[in-house]
Amino acid sequence: MGRRPRDRDKDATAIKAAAERLLAGTPLRSVSGKLTATELIVECGLRRDVVYPQHQDLVDEFRLRAKAQGRVPTAAQELAERHAAVVEVLKRTKQQLAEEQQLTAFLRRTTVELSIEVENLRREQEDAADATVVHMPRPRGPRRRFSPTDPES
């Protein structure tokens, strides 16, 4: 028992309908809508090994009609427009990133310089304070806290 033979007329009808949809710019299955034999095969829903050996004439006819049409399909045109818009957004984003990187580098340098200045000022204050402050000896014994309610204070 083998496979049932394919219905060539049904396959040819599917290929012709797919060709018409692609040429009209209204594909159902094709993502890009390009006017290529590969997209024709995707659009008609048949396997490549069914289309080429048995329906090469329909593929060639589609190629000639696509070449004669001389226009970009609507779906491909929309993709090209979206691509151009995305490229523009990417260009602006890269410019913003470069500006942010410059600002970040400036802020890092400024932070380091200010940290060094703060450290130098602390050292100067400690040196000046050590020279003028007289350290008093600490009282010996346990330390008592003053409390206004304590009668012994």
Side-chain angles (χ1 to χ4, degrees):
M1 295 184 84
R3 280 194 227 166
R4 274 188 339 182
R6 293 198 62 90
D7 184 358
R8 288 185 182 198
D9 292 335
K10 185 177 175 184
D11 293 346
T13 304
I15 294 169
K16 288 176 185 176
E20 292 302 321
R21 287 191 304 269
L22 284 173
L23 291 169
T26 57
L28 296 177
R29 294 183 182 106
S30 171
V31 176
S32 69
K34 292 181 182 177
L35 300 179
T36 63
T38 301
E39 292 299 317
L40 175 65
I41 292 169
V42 169
E43 184 65 25
C44 71
L46 298 173
R47 295 188 324 259
R48 186 176 295 275
D49 65 327
V50 171
V51 173
Y52 276 119
Q54 297 168 2
H55 303 286
Q56 183 68 43
D57 58 329
L58 295 175
V59 174
D60 292 339
E61 179 186 333
F62 170 73
R63 285 180 177 153
L64 289 174
R65 287 179 63 193
K67 190 173 186 180
Q69 190 174 12
R71 72 171 183 86
V72 177
T74 306
Q77 211 169 18
E78 290 171 1
L79 283 175
E81 290 169 0
R82 266 197 279 160
H83 177 265
V86 168
V87 166
E88 184 61 34
V89 168
L90 178 63
K91 183 180 173 184
R92 285 194 308 264
T93 303
K94 283 183 177 181
Q95 178 64 32
Q96 289 172 345
L97 177 62
E99 291 170 2
E100 291 293 329
Q101 287 173 334
Q102 289 176 347
L103 178 62
T104 302
F106 170 76
L107 291 174
R108 276 194 311 253
R109 286 191 306 270
T110 304
T111 302
V112 169
E113 289 175 11
L114 290 174
S115 297
I116 291 171
E117 284 186 33
V118 166
E119 185 61 32
N120 288 340
L121 286 173
R122 281 188 185 143
R123 285 185 187 148
E124 286 176 11
Q125 284 180 346
E126 287 175 2
D127 291 345
D130 285 343
T132 58
V133 173
V134 176
H135 293 280
M136 301 294 289
R138 291 189 173 185
R140 297 177 192 217
R143 196 168 176 187
R144 290 186 50 189
R145 296 190 116 183
F146 174 74
S147 172
T149 58
D150 187 14
E152 292 184 25
S153 303

